Amino acid sequence: SFEGHAFNECALEQVKISDSVKTIGKEAFRSCMALTNVTIGNGVKNIGEYAFGGCTSLAHLVIPDSVEIMG
């Protein structure tokens, strides 16, 4: 899992989260202003609060049906 604040304010532009990840923690990618594209793997069941909050350039986000909880 990606724990809370794991990539907070990072300079990543694209993220592909593998199917083996189960949880994206609270504020994991918060304020990653360069982030434009996120693909979340089919194993993710929980996306924490504000996981992508403040990602002002985010144009493409794929959330699979496996997600049961969104903060």
Side-chain angles (χ1 to χ4, degrees):
S1 75
F2 292 108
E3 297 300 323
H5 306 278
F7 298 96
N8 198 318
E9 298 181 19
C10 68
L12 295 172
E13 295 177 6
Q14 296 186 32
V15 172
K16 182 175 181 182
I17 299 171
S18 91
D19 292 343
S20 65
V21 173
K22 304 293 182 215
T23 300
I24 300 171
K26 179 180 179 181
E27 300 182 19
F29 295 91
R30 186 173 184 146
S31 297
C32 293
M33 294 189 213
L35 191 59
T36 60
N37 185 357
V38 176
T39 302
I40 299 172
N42 290 319
V44 174
K45 294 184 182 289
N46 184 355
I47 299 175
E49 294 178 336
Y50 305 106
F52 299 97
C55 296
T56 56
S57 298
L58 190 57
H60 183 78
L61 174 64
V62 176
I63 299 173
D65 292 336
S66 64
V67 174
E68 298 171 355
I69 300 170
M70 287 189 68

